[in-house]
Amino acid sequence: MPTKMLQIPTADGQADAFAASPDGGGRHPGVLMYPDGFGIRPVLREMARELAGHGYYVLVPNLFYRHGPAPVIELPEHIGEAVRPTVFAQLMPLIEAHTIERVLSDADAYLRFLTAQPEASAGPVAVTGYCIGGLLATRTAAAHPGQVAALAAFHGPVGVDGPDSLSKLTAEVHFGHAESDLTPEALGELNLALDAAGVSYTSEIYPGTIHGFTMSDTDAFNPVALQLHWDRLMPLLGRTLTKS
């Protein structure tokens, strides 16, 4: 499967990114995949390759390129509970510096770059994201309603900007929440905001999960929930993106 590292021109420099596309060449629907806060690493590359194998051109940007190329901070092979405090102490200043203005400026650049790639077909795109990347995916979809046809976010703080932000969505949506992140009452409030937006959506708590359940290099990993994530994501993309 063809993969490569790319440089995305942005208003603030060059964002490094990982790209994966199907075997056999040709043009394929584009998917912008936002990683979690830990960034581009083997597990994200594998997830991008998995998605590309289903017929999509997948672009995974380094969210924190302003602070250096990925990996921006040194990561162990397994991000277990013992090392999480140290890792998060390094990550939080980067996350706090990643303002909404930066998010939206970068989103413009990422989508412009994605749709210009020779492997990407014309037409709408999908945006997916994990953890903080789920929030960035949601902000991107809300800011580009005519271009983003599908939005999927997993264990992400998708409601943090309030219901007005969700009102701008036109994409078909899937939100997969961790049990540890959202109470049933909070899920009901979020889904009421999606109802008010008038979008087609599914939004559910994945049973028996904690924050980060899709990531196999963390203690939060739940293989059953990861499969459920694929079972929700693939039909969503199939419905909303047109393959040549």
Side-chain angles (χ1 to χ4, degrees), residues 193-216:
L194 292 169
D195 288 335
V199 298
S200 176
Y201 75 92
T202 53
S203 174
E204 61 186 312
I205 294 171
Y206 285 22
T209 55
I210 60 175
H211 182 75
F213 59 78
T214 58
M215 297 296 152
S216 62

Side-chain angles (χ1 to χ4, degrees), residues 74-88:
E74 187 174 346
L75 292 171
E77 284 188 21
H78 184 80
I79 308 168
E81 290 304 312
V83 300
R84 283 177 73 88
T86 300
V87 171
F88 270 99

Side-chain angles (χ1 to χ4, degrees), residues 6-173:
L6 299 168
Q7 295 291 322
I8 304 174
T10 76
D12 293 328
Q14 299 276 327
D16 49 310
F18 176 78
S21 53
D23 291 323
R27 296 165 71 91
H28 308 276
V31 179
L32 176 61
M33 178 185 283
Y34 284 106
D36 61 1
F38 300 131
I40 301 171
R41 59 197 193 281
V43 66
L44 261 297
R45 294 187 183 96
E46 180 54 38
M47 293 175 82
R49 284 192 291 264
E50 172 80 14
L51 188 52
H54 291 273
Y56 301 97
Y57 177 73
V58 186
L59 183 68
V60 188
N62 170 18
L63 306 181
F64 305 129
Y65 67 88
R66 293 173 180 85
H67 306 274
V72 179
I73 66 169
E74 187 174 346
L75 292 171
E77 284 188 21
H78 184 80
I79 308 168
E81 290 304 312
V83 300
R84 283 177 73 88
T86 300
V87 171
F88 270 99
Q90 297 173 276
L91 275 179
M92 285 312 298
L94 310 187
I95 293 172
E96 290 166 357
H98 202 53
T99 61
I100 291 181
E101 291 75 21
R102 286 183 170 184
V103 170
L104 296 181
S105 175
D106 287 349
D108 291 346
Y110 298 157
L111 290 177
R112 187 164 54 245
F113 183 87
L114 170 61
T115 54
Q117 297 312 294
E119 300 93 340
S121 58
V125 302
V127 184
T128 70
Y130 303 89
C131 183
I132 186 67
L135 174 59
L136 305 191
T138 303
R139 288 173 172 170
T140 299
H144 296 267
Q147 187 175 14
V148 177
L151 162 64
F154 302 92
H155 47 84
V158 294
V160 72
D161 292 336
D164 286 348
S165 65
L166 299 175
S167 71
K168 300 178 178 68
L169 292 173
T170 60
E172 184 173 343
V173 176

